[in-house]
Amino acid sequence: MTKPISGFSKLTKEEKIDWITTNYTHNKEQSKKILQTYWNQNGRIQQLHDEFIENTITNLYVPQGIAPNFLINDRLYAIPMAIEESSVIAAASKAAKFWLKRGGFKTEILGTEKVGQVHFLFKGDPAKLNSFFTYLKPILLAESASLTTSMQKRGGGITDIALRDKTHDIAHYYQLHATFQTKDAMGANFINSCLEQFAATLKKEAANYTAFSAQGKNVEIVMSILSNYVPNCTVRAMVSCPVEQIQLTDQLTPQQTAEKIIQAIEIAKVEPYRAVTHNKGIMNGIDAVVLATGNDFRAVEAGVHAYACKDGQYRSLTHATIDDGIFKFWIEVPLALGTVGGLTNLHPLVKLNLEILQHPSSEELMQIIAVAGLAQNFAAVSSLVTTGIQKGHMKMHLLNILNQLGADENEKTILVQYFKTNPVTHHGVELQLKEIRK
């Protein structure tokens, strides 16, 4: 039986690998070779990766591709996407090419406000707390000034601090609800530093506020942390064209195709089971670019899905209409992103990807990523209402199946050709491979 280990983080990388392969793998030497295979041969680059996180033993590679031909606000982009799922980049590229001939994508920043909160318990007189906050607010700003100087020089900083009474949810629970502008930085460290200073100032000033009772002076700070829910840090991306240009299949007229797309969107607005998968497809596009540009895709995911149920039910993030013969398809989505700080300054490939995107500001990156999500959704919904999703997806998945079955290059060439005109299933590929090998 494997015993718990003490001091694992203090071991060298080689010692960590020796321990994990000895205690948790069946073939120690083979496991070591696999881990070492994924090390970067450039020692400096590998050390950089080792120091991104704790207890590093290797790198898990995710393929990165390019989706070209994205015309966004009359500017042409090739978008780097890092993802392991088959057909995502192909679908995005197909949508980009489709809309390239129809005016491209148009985008608009709706807001860039980010949020952080100090959560605290106060057991004194609520009326006196409101008066105290009026007194406290300028002190909060003054005592955090040393933290905000650099950000203010870049045009950002604290935009407001409000006292929120949450006692109807939890007894004695209040918040300092603060909003921020962080310009081209994602701003997590900046926001959290400001919040922790707010908390220290709040506790100190409450203890010395003469109007409070002894109980009121004893403010209990629960936590101080930014929020990944950013409903006022949002972007809109849109495509539009005359309905007669929505010609996707010979089986449906453009009008029928546009109406089926709209119906599919409406279903995703009222049926959560569909909406979750619908929005997951959007996130295929969004996450792939977020990851390629060194941003926090978990934070983006959490914020986007919260936004999808902002009115009390989980719904589609995209919308579609026909107005006066014009088909319109758009998305509004919250995206808190950065193009400076974090991995954007450290990871060589992330820096290259931002160069490929023509060194975008954080607002420009918001627009690019929203477009990637919209393109992905258009491709997915278009397939669903015409040929079905599996036809294209399984053809892209074919090479994964062939690799899984150990096909050599000659077998791959033969079977790729065969499945151009035959449906792809795992069992079908397996049978054809056996036939070839006979």
Side-chain angles (χ1 to χ4, degrees):
M1 179 179 175
T2 303
K3 297 179 181 179
I5 185 171
S6 177
F8 182 74
S9 64
K10 294 181 175 61
L11 300 179
T12 66
K13 183 177 178 180
E14 288 70 22
E15 288 170 337
K16 291 184 180 85
I17 290 172
D18 188 67
W19 181 83
I20 196 73
T21 55
T22 298
N23 289 285
Y24 287 96
T25 72
H26 294 298
N27 188 323
K28 177 179 177 178
E29 294 307 315
Q30 183 183 27
S31 299
K32 282 186 175 182
K33 286 180 181 178
I34 292 171
L35 293 172
Q36 291 169 356
T37 297
Y38 285 88
W39 291 357
N40 196 296
Q41 293 183 359
N42 183 313
R44 186 184 66 81
I45 296 295
Q46 185 54 53
Q47 184 180 355
L48 192 65
H49 281 70
D50 286 349
E51 294 174 356
F52 283 154
I53 60 169
E54 307 79 31
N55 297 337
T56 306
I57 59 172
T58 193
N59 311 307
L60 177 65
Y61 292 163
V62 176
Q64 177 176 307
I66 290 289
N69 300 320
F70 273 90
L71 185 63
I72 305 174
N73 298 332
D74 301 320
R75 189 177 186 184
L76 198 60
Y77 290 88
I79 300 182
M81 302 178 78
I83 191 167
E84 85 299 338
E85 184 174 333
S86 302
S87 77
V88 169
I89 294 178
S93 301
K94 184 178 180 180
K97 186 177 180 180
F98 180 87
W99 288 106
L100 179 65
K101 301 173 183 177
R102 293 162 176 81
F105 298 82
K106 305 299 179 185
T107 61
E108 178 186 1
I109 296 293
L110 304 179
T112 55
E113 182 181 85
K114 295 167 187 174
V115 174
Q117 296 166 323
V118 177
H119 305 268
F120 67 97
L121 301 181
F122 174 78
K123 298 180 180 179
D125 184 342
K128 290 181 179 178
L129 180 61
N130 285 319
S131 298
F132 169 67
F133 179 70
T134 301
Y135 155 80
L136 178 68
K137 186 173 179 178
I139 301 174
L140 292 172
L141 294 170
E143 294 197 354
S144 60
S146 62
L147 300 171
T148 62
T149 301
S150 295
M151 186 64 74
Q152 286 176 328
K153 287 179 180 177
R154 299 199 299 269
I158 303 161
T159 56
D160 195 19
I161 310 170
L163 174 67
R164 291 192 170 184
D165 184 341
K166 306 291 285 186
T167 55
H168 59 286
D169 294 318
I170 299 175
H172 313 301
Y173 169 39
Y174 294 85
Q175 299 172 354
L176 294 182
H177 184 94
T179 53
F180 302 84
Q181 293 288 347
T182 61
K183 303 308 288 181
D184 287 335
M186 191 277 173
N189 291 331
F190 166 72
I191 292 171
N192 287 334
S193 295
C194 289
L195 294 171
E196 290 184 1
Q197 179 59 58
F198 293 168
T201 301
L202 167 63
K203 192 166 183 64
K204 177 193 68 173
E205 292 298 326
N208 296 318
Y209 193 62
T210 56
F212 281 163
S213 63
Q215 195 175 37
K217 289 174 186 258
N218 187 27
V219 168
E220 180 184 343
I221 305 297
V222 179
M223 55 187 167
S224 309
I225 186 69
L226 89 166
S227 175
N228 292 127
Y229 183 45
V230 285
N232 295 321
C233 184
T234 51
V235 56
R236 179 189 296 129
M238 174 183 279
V239 287
S240 65
C241 69
V243 170
E244 58 266 23
Q245 294 183 15
I246 306 297
Q247 182 68 59
L248 299 175
T249 175
D250 294 335
Q251 282 69 48
L252 296 172
T253 67
Q255 182 73 29
Q256 289 171 328
T257 301
E259 289 174 356
K260 287 193 75 173
I261 290 172
I262 292 169
Q263 193 64 65
I265 301 297
E266 292 305 307
I267 289 170
K269 288 181 179 179
V270 301
E271 174 48 72
Y273 282 91
R274 172 58 199 143
V276 169
T277 309
H278 178 91
N279 289 344
K280 184 268 180 186
I282 293 170
M283 299 313 295
N284 280 343
I286 288 177
D287 282 348
V289 192
V290 171
L291 190 58
T293 56
N295 278 274
D296 186 344
F297 71 90
R298 286 88 50 199
V300 169
E301 281 270 356
V304 167
H305 291 302
Y307 189 79
C309 53
K310 65 184 184 300
D311 63 355
Q313 179 179 314
Y314 191 92
R315 301 184 189 277
S316 165
L317 292 160
T318 51
H319 314 271
T321 60
I322 297 173
D323 296 319
D324 297 325
I326 301 297
F327 173 77
K328 297 179 181 178
F329 188 72
W330 73 98
I331 188 171
E332 291 180 9
V333 65
L335 293 171
L337 305 168
T339 55
V340 298
L343 286 186
T344 61
N345 291 340
L346 286 174
H347 199 300
L349 188 53
V350 166
K351 289 197 283 188
L352 178 60
N353 289 338
L354 289 170
E355 181 181 346
I356 290 169
L357 290 173
Q358 302 169 58
H359 300 291
S361 66
S362 63
E363 290 189 12
E364 289 168 338
L365 187 59
M366 286 172 69
Q367 294 169 83
I368 292 166
I369 291 178
V371 163
L374 184 66
Q376 197 65 37
N377 189 235
F378 178 79
V381 174
S382 297
S383 292
L384 283 170
V385 301
T386 54
T387 59
I389 202 73
Q390 283 300 89
K391 181 178 178 181
H393 178 74
M394 289 307 292
K395 285 194 181 295
M396 294 301 300
H397 193 51
L398 175 60
L399 285 177
N400 287 347
I401 299 173
L402 291 171
N403 284 329
Q404 185 181 349
L405 295 173
D408 63 28
E409 292 306 311
N410 183 56
E411 290 167 339
K412 288 178 185 178
T413 300
I414 294 169
L415 289 173
V416 166
Q417 186 64 35
Y418 174 82
F419 283 107
K420 282 184 178 179
T421 54
N422 291 278
V424 179
T425 66
H426 192 284
H427 182 62
V429 175
E430 196 171 15
L431 288 177
Q432 288 302 314
L433 187 57
K434 286 180 180 178
E435 285 295 317
I436 290 172
R437 288 174 174 175
K438 284 180 181 179

Short mmCIF file of all heavy atoms in Angstrom, two decimals, residues 238-241 243 246 258-259 261-263 265-266 269 318-330:
data_model
loop_
_atom_site.label_atom_id
_atom_site.label_comp_id
_atom_site.label_asym_id
_atom_site.label_seq_id
_atom_site.Cartn_x
_atom_site.Cartn_y
_atom_site.Cartn_z
N MET A 238 -21.03 40.29 -34.40
CA MET A 238 -22.20 40.08 -35.26
C MET A 238 -21.79 39.82 -36.69
O MET A 238 -20.77 40.33 -37.16
CB MET A 238 -23.11 41.30 -35.21
CG MET A 238 -24.30 41.24 -36.18
SD MET A 238 -25.35 42.72 -36.17
CE MET A 238 -26.35 42.40 -34.72
N VAL A 239 -22.61 39.03 -37.38
CA VAL A 239 -22.54 38.90 -38.83
C VAL A 239 -23.94 39.13 -39.38
O VAL A 239 -24.94 38.89 -38.70
CB VAL A 239 -22.02 37.51 -39.28
CG1 VAL A 239 -20.54 37.38 -39.02
CG2 VAL A 239 -22.79 36.39 -38.60
N SER A 240 -24.02 39.57 -40.62
CA SER A 240 -25.32 39.76 -41.25
C SER A 240 -25.15 39.75 -42.76
O SER A 240 -24.09 40.09 -43.29
CB SER A 240 -25.98 41.07 -40.79
OG SER A 240 -25.21 42.19 -41.23
N CYS A 241 -26.23 39.38 -43.44
CA CYS A 241 -26.25 39.40 -44.91
C CYS A 241 -27.68 39.19 -45.36
O CYS A 241 -28.54 38.75 -44.58
CB CYS A 241 -25.34 38.30 -45.49
SG CYS A 241 -25.95 36.63 -45.21
N VAL A 243 -30.84 37.35 -46.70
CA VAL A 243 -31.22 35.94 -46.49
C VAL A 243 -30.84 35.08 -47.68
O VAL A 243 -30.39 33.93 -47.51
CB VAL A 243 -32.74 35.83 -46.20
CG1 VAL A 243 -33.19 34.37 -46.22
CG2 VAL A 243 -33.07 36.46 -44.86
N ILE A 246 -27.69 32.92 -47.58
CA ILE A 246 -27.50 31.81 -46.64
C ILE A 246 -27.77 30.50 -47.37
O ILE A 246 -28.70 29.75 -47.06
CB ILE A 246 -28.42 31.97 -45.40
CG1 ILE A 246 -28.23 33.34 -44.76
CG2 ILE A 246 -28.12 30.88 -44.36
CD1 ILE A 246 -26.83 33.58 -44.20
N ALA A 258 -32.05 29.75 -43.06
CA ALA A 258 -32.01 30.83 -42.07
C ALA A 258 -33.05 30.61 -40.99
O ALA A 258 -32.78 30.81 -39.79
CB ALA A 258 -32.22 32.17 -42.77
N GLU A 259 -34.23 30.18 -41.39
CA GLU A 259 -35.31 29.96 -40.41
C GLU A 259 -34.98 28.80 -39.47
O GLU A 259 -35.30 28.85 -38.27
CB GLU A 259 -36.63 29.72 -41.13
CG GLU A 259 -37.19 30.98 -41.79
CD GLU A 259 -38.44 30.72 -42.62
OE1 GLU A 259 -38.82 29.53 -42.75
OE2 GLU A 259 -39.03 31.70 -43.13
N ILE A 261 -31.94 27.86 -38.60
CA ILE A 261 -30.90 28.35 -37.68
C ILE A 261 -31.54 29.14 -36.55
O ILE A 261 -31.21 28.96 -35.37
CB ILE A 261 -29.86 29.21 -38.44
CG1 ILE A 261 -29.02 28.32 -39.37
CG2 ILE A 261 -28.96 29.96 -37.45
CD1 ILE A 261 -28.10 29.10 -40.30
N ILE A 262 -32.47 30.02 -36.91
CA ILE A 262 -33.16 30.83 -35.90
C ILE A 262 -33.92 29.93 -34.94
O ILE A 262 -33.91 30.13 -33.72
CB ILE A 262 -34.11 31.85 -36.57
CG1 ILE A 262 -33.28 32.90 -37.32
CG2 ILE A 262 -35.02 32.50 -35.55
CD1 ILE A 262 -34.10 33.79 -38.23
N GLN A 263 -34.59 28.89 -35.48
CA GLN A 263 -35.34 27.98 -34.63
C GLN A 263 -34.42 27.24 -33.67
O GLN A 263 -34.74 27.03 -32.50
CB GLN A 263 -36.10 26.96 -35.49
CG GLN A 263 -37.15 26.17 -34.71
CD GLN A 263 -38.26 27.06 -34.18
OE1 GLN A 263 -39.01 27.65 -34.94
NE2 GLN A 263 -38.35 27.18 -32.86
N ILE A 265 -31.61 28.34 -32.46
CA ILE A 265 -31.21 29.30 -31.42
C ILE A 265 -32.33 29.47 -30.40
O ILE A 265 -32.10 29.51 -29.19
CB ILE A 265 -30.84 30.66 -32.04
CG1 ILE A 265 -29.69 30.54 -33.04
CG2 ILE A 265 -30.49 31.67 -30.94
CD1 ILE A 265 -28.40 30.05 -32.47
N GLU A 266 -33.57 29.57 -30.89
CA GLU A 266 -34.71 29.74 -29.99
C GLU A 266 -34.86 28.54 -29.06
O GLU A 266 -35.20 28.70 -27.88
CB GLU A 266 -36.00 29.97 -30.79
CG GLU A 266 -36.03 31.30 -31.53
CD GLU A 266 -35.80 32.49 -30.62
OE1 GLU A 266 -36.52 32.60 -29.59
OE2 GLU A 266 -34.90 33.30 -30.91
N LYS A 269 -32.60 28.81 -26.25
CA LYS A 269 -32.98 29.84 -25.29
C LYS A 269 -33.99 29.34 -24.25
O LYS A 269 -34.10 29.91 -23.17
CB LYS A 269 -33.56 31.06 -26.01
CG LYS A 269 -32.52 31.87 -26.76
CD LYS A 269 -33.16 33.09 -27.43
CE LYS A 269 -32.10 33.92 -28.15
NZ LYS A 269 -32.69 35.10 -28.84
N THR A 318 -25.99 33.07 -28.04
CA THR A 318 -26.12 33.66 -29.37
C THR A 318 -27.58 33.94 -29.70
O THR A 318 -28.50 33.38 -29.09
CB THR A 318 -25.52 32.74 -30.45
OG1 THR A 318 -26.05 31.42 -30.31
CG2 THR A 318 -24.01 32.72 -30.35
N HIS A 319 -27.77 34.81 -30.69
CA HIS A 319 -29.11 35.25 -31.10
C HIS A 319 -29.16 35.32 -32.61
O HIS A 319 -28.14 35.57 -33.26
CB HIS A 319 -29.42 36.63 -30.51
CG HIS A 319 -29.08 36.76 -29.05
ND1 HIS A 319 -29.97 36.45 -28.05
CD2 HIS A 319 -27.92 37.13 -28.44
CE1 HIS A 319 -29.38 36.64 -26.88
NE2 HIS A 319 -28.15 37.06 -27.08
N ALA A 320 -30.33 35.14 -33.18
CA ALA A 320 -30.47 35.23 -34.64
C ALA A 320 -31.87 35.75 -34.98
O ALA A 320 -32.86 35.40 -34.32
CB ALA A 320 -30.25 33.86 -35.29
N THR A 321 -31.92 36.58 -36.01
CA THR A 321 -33.21 37.11 -36.49
C THR A 321 -33.15 37.31 -38.00
O THR A 321 -32.07 37.31 -38.60
CB THR A 321 -33.52 38.50 -35.86
OG1 THR A 321 -32.49 39.43 -36.21
CG2 THR A 321 -33.66 38.41 -34.36
N ILE A 322 -34.32 37.50 -38.58
CA ILE A 322 -34.44 38.00 -39.96
C ILE A 322 -35.22 39.31 -39.87
O ILE A 322 -36.36 39.32 -39.42
CB ILE A 322 -35.16 37.01 -40.88
CG1 ILE A 322 -34.37 35.70 -41.00
CG2 ILE A 322 -35.38 37.63 -42.26
CD1 ILE A 322 -35.10 34.61 -41.77
N ASP A 323 -34.59 40.40 -40.27
CA ASP A 323 -35.23 41.72 -40.23
C ASP A 323 -35.17 42.33 -41.62
O ASP A 323 -34.08 42.60 -42.15
CB ASP A 323 -34.51 42.64 -39.24
CG ASP A 323 -34.61 42.13 -37.81
OD1 ASP A 323 -35.69 41.65 -37.42
OD2 ASP A 323 -33.60 42.22 -37.08
N ASP A 324 -36.35 42.53 -42.23
CA ASP A 324 -36.44 43.14 -43.57
C ASP A 324 -35.54 42.42 -44.58
O ASP A 324 -34.81 43.06 -45.36
CB ASP A 324 -36.07 44.63 -43.50
CG ASP A 324 -37.04 45.43 -42.64
OD1 ASP A 324 -38.25 45.09 -42.65
OD2 ASP A 324 -36.60 46.37 -41.97
N GLY A 325 -35.57 41.10 -44.52
CA GLY A 325 -34.81 40.31 -45.49
C GLY A 325 -33.34 40.15 -45.17
O GLY A 325 -32.59 39.56 -45.95
N ILE A 326 -32.90 40.66 -43.99
CA ILE A 326 -31.50 40.55 -43.58
C ILE A 326 -31.38 39.54 -42.44
O ILE A 326 -32.05 39.67 -41.41
CB ILE A 326 -30.93 41.92 -43.13
CG1 ILE A 326 -31.04 42.94 -44.26
CG2 ILE A 326 -29.48 41.76 -42.68
CD1 ILE A 326 -30.24 42.60 -45.50
N PHE A 327 -30.55 38.54 -42.66
CA PHE A 327 -30.27 37.57 -41.61
C PHE A 327 -29.19 38.14 -40.69
O PHE A 327 -28.14 38.59 -41.15
CB PHE A 327 -29.78 36.26 -42.23
CG PHE A 327 -29.29 35.25 -41.23
CD1 PHE A 327 -30.19 34.50 -40.48
CD2 PHE A 327 -27.93 35.05 -41.03
CE1 PHE A 327 -29.75 33.56 -39.56
CE2 PHE A 327 -27.47 34.11 -40.11
CZ PHE A 327 -28.39 33.36 -39.38
N LYS A 328 -29.44 38.12 -39.38
CA LYS A 328 -28.49 38.63 -38.40
C LYS A 328 -28.20 37.55 -37.37
O LYS A 328 -29.11 36.87 -36.89
CB LYS A 328 -29.05 39.88 -37.69
CG LYS A 328 -29.28 41.06 -38.62
CD LYS A 328 -29.85 42.25 -37.86
CE LYS A 328 -30.11 43.43 -38.79
NZ LYS A 328 -30.70 44.58 -38.07
N PHE A 329 -26.93 37.42 -37.03
CA PHE A 329 -26.50 36.39 -36.09
C PHE A 329 -25.46 37.03 -35.18
O PHE A 329 -24.47 37.58 -35.67
CB PHE A 329 -25.91 35.22 -36.88
CG PHE A 329 -25.59 34.00 -36.05
CD1 PHE A 329 -26.59 33.19 -35.55
CD2 PHE A 329 -24.27 33.65 -35.81
CE1 PHE A 329 -26.30 32.06 -34.81
CE2 PHE A 329 -23.96 32.52 -35.07
CZ PHE A 329 -24.99 31.72 -34.57
N TRP A 330 -25.66 37.00 -33.87
CA TRP A 330 -24.74 37.72 -33.00
C TRP A 330 -24.61 37.06 -31.62
O TRP A 330 -25.40 36.21 -31.24
CB TRP A 330 -25.14 39.18 -32.86
CG TRP A 330 -26.35 39.47 -32.01
CD1 TRP A 330 -26.36 39.86 -30.69
CD2 TRP A 330 -27.74 39.43 -32.42
NE1 TRP A 330 -27.66 40.06 -30.26
CE2 TRP A 330 -28.52 39.81 -31.30
CE3 TRP A 330 -28.38 39.11 -33.62
CZ2 TRP A 330 -29.91 39.87 -31.35
CZ3 TRP A 330 -29.77 39.16 -33.67
CH2 TRP A 330 -30.52 39.55 -32.56
#
